[in-house]
């Protein structure tokens, strides 16, 4: 009898789960409300169209000439692609000029990269400070585990193109250099919490627009 109850309960849970999935096929972002920890509120299904599930921005090359890193990141995340909201996935296009880099950065979810053109060195640093890095060519893929610092460097003779997929519609990005240089922490505090001197800190603040104090 107990076994029968257990089987019935399991089947019931499955049907409840399936029912929820069918009712909540999607939650297209309603941009008239601010984003919260769980994403955007859902757009009225009556106002949803196929265009909410299409994003064409990744077909256009990013401008690599206007950054000091000679690279460009074009994201397709929930703030730009309404249909991704709540689905736990996003993408981005990486354009990396010759000698360019996607500098050391992190985000709160795992990432997969696939190289479409060119040659890059990609890698990450584990929490025990072990560095895992490798030269990647066209068609190669690599995984970056969640929250770990990682990077990409173009070591080829032509511009590199890669696409990444991230396990969140709103993965969050923190670039080490810009995070240090764009905040309003006093210079002396940044000196103490890093090995940078005052001149280096002020140079970062000047580049990334942080408070000059």
């Amino acid at each position: 009898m107990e076994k029968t109850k257990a089987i019935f309960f399991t089947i019931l849970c499955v049907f409840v789960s399936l029912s929820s999935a069918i009712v909540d096929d999607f939650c297209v972002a309603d941009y008239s409300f601010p984003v919260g920890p769980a994403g955007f509120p859902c757009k009225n299904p009556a106002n949803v169209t196929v265009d909410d599930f299409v994003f064409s921005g990744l077909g256009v090359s990013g401008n690599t000439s206007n950054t000091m890193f000679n690279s460009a990141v074009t994201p397709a995340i929930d703030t730009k692609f309404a249909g991704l909201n709540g689905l736990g996935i996003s993408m981005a296009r990486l354009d990396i000029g010759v000698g360019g880099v996607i500098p050391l950065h992190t985000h709160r979810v795992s990432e997969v990269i696939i190289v479409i053109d060119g040659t890059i060195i990609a890698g990450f640093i584990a929490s025990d400070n072990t560095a895992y890095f490798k030269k990647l060519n066209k068609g190669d893929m690599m995984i970056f585990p969640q929250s770990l610092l990682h990077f990409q460097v173009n070591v080829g003779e032509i511009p590199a193109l890669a696409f990444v997929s991230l396990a969140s519609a709103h993965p969050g990005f923190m670039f080490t250099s810009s995070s240090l240089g764009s905040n309003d922490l006093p210079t002396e505090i940044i000196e103490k919490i890093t090995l940078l001197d005052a001149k280096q800190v002020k140079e970062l603040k000047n580049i990334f627009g942080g408070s000059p104090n």
Side-chain angles (χ1 to χ4, degrees), residues 20-212:
S20 175
I22 292 170
V23 171
D24 301 319
D25 285 338
F26 50 78
C27 177
V28 173
D30 186 340
Y31 292 141
S32 65
F33 295 93
V35 65
F40 288 94
C42 302
K43 187 177 183 180
N44 186 334
N47 298 325
V48 172
T49 72
V50 67
D51 290 334
D52 291 314
F53 303 102
V54 177
F55 183 84
S56 301
L58 299 188
V60 180
S61 299
N63 184 3
T64 62
S65 65
N66 64 349
T67 69
M68 64 181 303
F69 296 113
N70 192 21
S71 65
V73 178
T74 306
I77 59 177
D78 60 357
T79 55
K80 297 177 178 292
F81 187 2
L84 287 178
N85 188 50
L87 296 184
I89 191 171
S90 59
M91 293 190 70
R93 173 184 175 131
L94 309 183
D95 289 281
I96 313 173
V98 176
V101 303
I102 303 295
L104 201 64
H105 66 284
T106 183
H107 31 74
R108 51 183 170 262
V109 295
S110 300
E111 171 186 325
V112 176
I113 185 171
I114 181 169
V115 179
I116 303 302
D117 209 1
T119 302
I120 67 173
I121 289 179
F124 64 89
I125 302 171
S127 57
D128 64 357
N129 296 322
T130 300
Y132 298 88
F133 61 98
K134 189 175 180 65
K135 182 182 289 187
L136 304 179
N137 298 299
K138 181 177 179 179
D140 288 340
M141 299 176 67
M142 186 172 183
I143 182 76
F144 307 114
Q146 65 182 27
S147 303
L148 299 184
L149 291 166
H150 55 284
F151 61 89
Q152 294 89 30
V153 181
N154 185 347
V155 294
E157 298 180 354
I158 63 172
L161 170 63
F163 289 96
V164 298
S165 179
L166 302 115
S168 171
H170 198 82
F173 294 85
M174 289 189 69
F175 289 88
T176 305
S177 298
S178 58
S179 292
L180 285 173
S182 62
N183 62 68
D184 60 357
L185 280 173
T187 296
E188 60 268 25
I189 296 296
I190 297 180
E191 282 186 87
K192 291 181 182 296
I193 63 176
T194 68
L195 295 178
L196 301 175
D197 60 34
K199 181 181 178 181
Q200 292 171 320
V201 173
K202 290 179 179 179
E203 286 178 352
L204 279 177
K205 285 177 173 285
N206 183 56
I207 292 170
F208 295 108
S211 172

